[in-house]
């Protein structure tokens, strides 16, 4: 049987450094995603993709290239918006 998303996340979280684990568990990336949603005028569905992809990037499930690809394919963002978001996330 394949593990559920929640089970997979728990397993991955156990491997993270304590500071990063705390950041993720406290969902401190959520306000960052919301700020980026406002800054780049994203729709709610696009913001959901951004938040999901930020989490996957933080916990090491996605690579930076996969992050960018998902913002393009799943959120339908243009290259200029993705470049801006990527720059802001890196900061």
């Amino acid at each position: 049987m394949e593990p559920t998303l929640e089970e997979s996340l728990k397993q991955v979280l156990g491997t993270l450094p304590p500071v990063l684990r705390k950041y993720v568990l406290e969902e401190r990336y959520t306000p960052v995603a919301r700020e980026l949603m406002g800054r780049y005028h994203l729709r709610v569905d696009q913001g959901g993709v951004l938040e999901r992809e930020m989490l996957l990037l933080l916990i090491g499930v996605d690579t930076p290239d996969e992050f960018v690809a998902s913002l393009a394919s799943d959120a339908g963002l243009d290259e200029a918006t993705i470049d801006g978001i990527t720059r802001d996330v890196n900061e």
Side-chain angles (χ1 to χ4, degrees):
M1 232 174 123
E2 194 169 310
T4 65
L5 177 60
E6 185 176 318
E7 292 169 340
S8 296
L9 284 175
K10 283 182 182 178
Q11 184 178 13
V12 170
L13 285 173
T15 67
L16 297 177
V19 171
L20 185 53
R21 183 179 321 122
K22 181 179 178 186
Y23 185 86
V24 169
L25 289 173
E26 292 176 356
E27 296 183 11
R28 292 175 57 195
Y29 59 92
T30 298
V32 175
R34 287 186 186 143
E35 180 185 333
L36 293 172
M37 281 178 64
R39 183 177 302 163
Y40 293 99
H41 309 288
L42 304 183
R43 299 184 316 260
V44 173
D45 60 318
Q46 292 171 317
V49 171
L50 173 61
E51 187 172 356
R52 178 193 73 207
E53 293 305 315
M54 286 177 63
L55 173 61
L56 294 174
L57 185 65
L58 281 168
I59 64 174
V61 172
D62 273 1
T63 66
D65 288 340
E66 291 169 322
F67 175 78
V68 168
S70 291
L71 292 180
S73 64
D74 296 353
L77 300 178
D78 61 64
E79 189 175 332
T81 302
I82 293 170
D83 287 345
I85 288 172
T86 302
R87 183 177 49 255
D88 290 345
V89 167
N90 282 331
E91 290 176 6

